[in-house]
Amino acid sequence: MLIEHAIAGPVRPPFPIHESLVESFLSAHAAGVDGRDATVAHALGMVAGYSYADSATLATMVGRVGLAGSHCTRISQTVDAMYIFATAYLVQSACGRVVILAFRGTELANVGNWLADVDVGDESVALACAAGASARVHAGFMRNLRAVRLEVLEHLRDPRMQALFVTGHSLGGALASLFALTLDDAAIADRLRAVYTFGQPLAVGGPLPPGATPVAARIVRHVLPRDPIPALPLTSWGRLEHHGVEYGFAEGEWRQNSEATRQMSGLWRASRSLSGLFASEARRKKLKYTLTEHGPHKYLAALRPAGRITEFGD
């Protein structure tokens, strides 16, 4: 297991992107989840997107978004033969009161990562949020969560922590949701404010038991309209369902969807969305789904509030 530490150093104008970001996190969802918070969504999107990077790069971006002085910890576990390629980042504000847990998504050049994504399996796990209840979960996703879960929990046992936010893009979003649903440490669970995911694939099979409803309501999923990943894995690999509240991006703003994204059934549609990576611009516009819409930079661009600079200062 690899554990690295970095500090988000001070920033110069035009940064930070968000002033008083710690206070924004502390006030968000303080009385439970009620819709989404645009500032929190943008900041979490930054952390989720840059969780694909090394520790120093993530720390730089954490400082720029408004959390200068934060302690960033990377926890990684790799076991090739078991398709385990798990990375989690913990970002704790300088005061210690706010903690962001971000799971890295699928690395494009990592074949083992892709093999874990299609390893749906037939596995059930206990739901900590519903005593005595269990749910079928995506086996490959759950195996990767287990690989770093215990170390993550150790780092979260900090009495200074008042608000915990969990996030991730793509596979990272699936791990974030599974982490919340299986969180069996009462002290940590009491501090969980919300789970914000971006382009999250399906991870849980069937409806959740009533006891899991309060935790599921804390999951806020963001879906770009032509991103195919939230509709995967295919139904032929095992039926799964989305849980939580879904927001779709339309006409320049995020709106709550009345229905969750449905699981894709046809292999031909999945293959067509993949072909969009190599298609002309005109052809991509005709596709219902295209993998070019899944990138974390696409989500980050849609999440940026009007009038705010990018992480590059423009």
Side-chain angles (χ1 to χ4, degrees):
M1 181 171 288
L2 171 66
I3 300 179
E4 294 179 342
H5 301 279
I7 300 295
V11 295
R12 297 177 179 178
F15 302 109
I17 298 172
H18 299 287
E19 300 284 353
S20 306
L21 188 54
V22 168
E23 297 306 320
S24 294
F25 273 110
L26 289 173
S27 61
H29 307 298
V33 175
D34 182 16
R36 63 183 290 276
D37 184 290
T39 298
V40 167
H42 182 234
L44 292 179
M46 281 274 288
V47 179
Y50 282 96
S51 67
Y52 290 95
D54 55 75
S55 302
T57 300
L58 177 76
T60 296
M61 296 306 176
V62 164
R64 289 181 181 181
V65 79
L67 294 173
S70 295
H71 187 187
C72 304
T73 301
R74 174 182 173 179
I75 301 171
S76 296
Q77 181 73 277
T78 300
V79 185
D80 298 47
M82 297 184 185
Y83 311 146
I84 292 175
F85 301 89
T87 294
Y89 275 106
L90 287 146
V91 176
Q92 186 161 21
S93 62
C95 63
R97 294 183 295 167
V98 174
V99 176
I100 299 169
L101 168 60
F103 290 96
R104 177 181 290 180
T106 302
E107 300 171 49
L108 293 179
N110 191 324
V111 176
N113 242 184
W114 288 98
L115 290 173
D117 289 351
V118 299
D119 181 19
V120 177
D122 187 17
E123 181 174 354
S124 294
V125 298
L127 297 175
C129 50
S134 63
R136 178 174 174 262
V137 297
H138 186 298
F141 294 167
M142 194 65 205
R143 186 166 57 253
N144 274 264
L145 174 61
R146 285 175 173 143
V148 295
R149 183 175 178 274
L150 292 179
E151 193 65 35
V152 165
L153 290 174
E154 284 300 314
H155 280 78
L156 287 175
R157 294 189 177 102
D158 186 327
R160 297 177 299 164
M161 181 176 70
Q162 296 177 14
L164 170 63
F165 290 82
V166 189
T167 190
H169 167 265
S170 192
L171 161 67
L175 299 187
S177 293
L178 289 172
F179 176 84
L181 291 170
T182 59
L183 181 56
D184 56 2
D185 186 304
I188 297 173
D190 285 344
R191 292 165 174 79
L192 176 65
R193 292 287 182 88
V195 179
Y196 278 47
T197 72
F198 311 97
Q200 174 198 330
L202 296 112
V204 180
L208 294 174
T213 301
V215 174
R218 295 177 183 270
I219 301 172
V220 182
R221 294 180 296 100
H222 296 76
V223 178
L224 290 179
R226 300 175 67 220
D227 180 2
I229 299 302
L232 295 174
L234 296 171
T235 55
S236 57
W237 297 349
R239 290 195 174 274
L240 302 168
E241 292 183 12
H242 276 305
H243 301 284
V245 183
E246 179 174 300
Y247 282 80
F249 192 68
E251 298 178 0
E253 63 180 5
W254 292 95
R255 301 171 180 172
Q256 185 173 339
N257 290 339
S258 58
E259 293 184 358
T261 298
R262 294 183 181 180
Q263 192 171 10
M264 195 182 298
S265 59
L267 181 60
W268 66 273
R269 180 164 285 170
S271 62
R272 287 189 69 190
S273 67
L274 179 61
S275 70
L277 287 171
F278 313 101
S280 66
E281 181 179 2
R283 176 174 167 74
R284 284 200 303 269
K285 288 181 178 179
K286 295 179 180 179
L287 294 173
K288 179 177 180 179
Y289 295 114
T290 172
L291 203 54
T292 56
E293 293 299 303
H294 180 61
H297 58 291
K298 293 283 190 176
Y299 278 89
L300 196 48
L303 290 164
R304 179 161 57 96
R308 299 288 179 174
I309 59 172
T310 71
E311 68 270 31
F312 306 115
D314 52 18

